[in-house]
Amino acid sequence: MQIEPKLSGHWTDDQLIAHLYSVGPGDEHINFCGECQARLSAMQQRRATIDRRSSAGEDVTFEFLAAQRRSTYAKTAAPVRWWSLLPARRWVSVAAMAALLAGSVFLYEANEHHYRNQQLTDAQLAQEVSQMAADSEPQATAPLQALFEE
Ligand SMILES: [Zn+2]
């Protein structure tokens, strides 16, 4: 007299899984079959475990992505060109400063070359240095000072 279960048949695993995701078979077999209900609840437990694991995994992934995004933003924010922040007037004085620095390096190297080629005494060296300073300083700083005058 147990015709009905045989007619409908137990749900397959696929059907039970489909039911878990609310896309299951339309028949009511699960409501009447204890065996299938047991299988279903076992599946639900497994799914809950998997969900817990995957959601924990998603947290890690989210954190990872967030960290990645933060570093990306940091990178894109970083290359703000410092000279673009300077007003044009300031930029000119920075350029003049750089030119003066380059000039000083040039003078220094010229002096080095000069002193290496000529064996000067300490007195001569001191005299030459003071002469060099007296000669070059007003010329080098004059245009720079003009820039800073309002
Ligand atoms: Zn069944």
Side-chain angles (χ1 to χ4, degrees):
M1 287 305 238
Q2 291 184 327
I3 299 162
E4 208 223 317
K6 281 188 180 173
L7 267 180
S8 52
H10 291 308
W11 282 5
T12 64
D13 285 350
D14 285 347
Q15 284 173 313
L16 287 170
I17 290 164
H19 178 78
L20 278 177
Y21 290 93
S22 308
V23 291
D27 69 77
E28 306 273 281
H29 173 81
I30 196 73
N31 298 331
F32 308 108
C33 177
E35 199 183 318
C36 281
Q37 277 168 11
R39 283 166 65 211
L40 184 68
S41 70
M43 273 186 177
Q44 276 170 328
Q45 276 176 0
R46 265 176 55 202
R47 193 182 83 151
T49 308
I50 290 164
D51 278 356
R52 264 200 303 279
R53 270 192 214 141
S54 72
S55 75
E58 267 166 27
D59 282 346
V60 169
T61 307
F62 177 79
E63 263 308 306
F64 175 73
L65 287 176
Q68 210 173 36
R69 193 162 300 183
R70 276 193 295 272
S71 79
T72 304
Y73 284 153
K75 273 177 208 156
T76 47
V80 172
R81 291 175 172 78
W82 60 270
W83 59 83
S84 71
L85 298 173
L86 291 173
R89 210 182 144 71
R90 201 84 183 92
W91 196 91
V92 168
S93 52
V94 166
M97 200 77 87
L100 181 69
L101 248 156
S104 306
V105 169
F106 174 76
L107 276 176
Y108 174 76
E109 292 198 333
N111 290 352
E112 283 276 297
H113 187 68
H114 183 66
Y115 295 140
R116 245 181 273 123
N117 287 345
Q118 294 186 15
Q119 296 293 319
L120 299 174
T121 66
D122 283 354
Q124 278 175 310
L125 191 81
Q127 193 187 359
E128 191 128 338
V129 166
S130 62
Q131 178 124 30
M132 192 78 74
D135 285 350
S136 65
E137 206 172 304
Q139 286 165 9
T141 51
L144 190 69
Q145 278 168 350
L147 280 170
F148 285 101
E149 280 165 14
E150 284 297 318

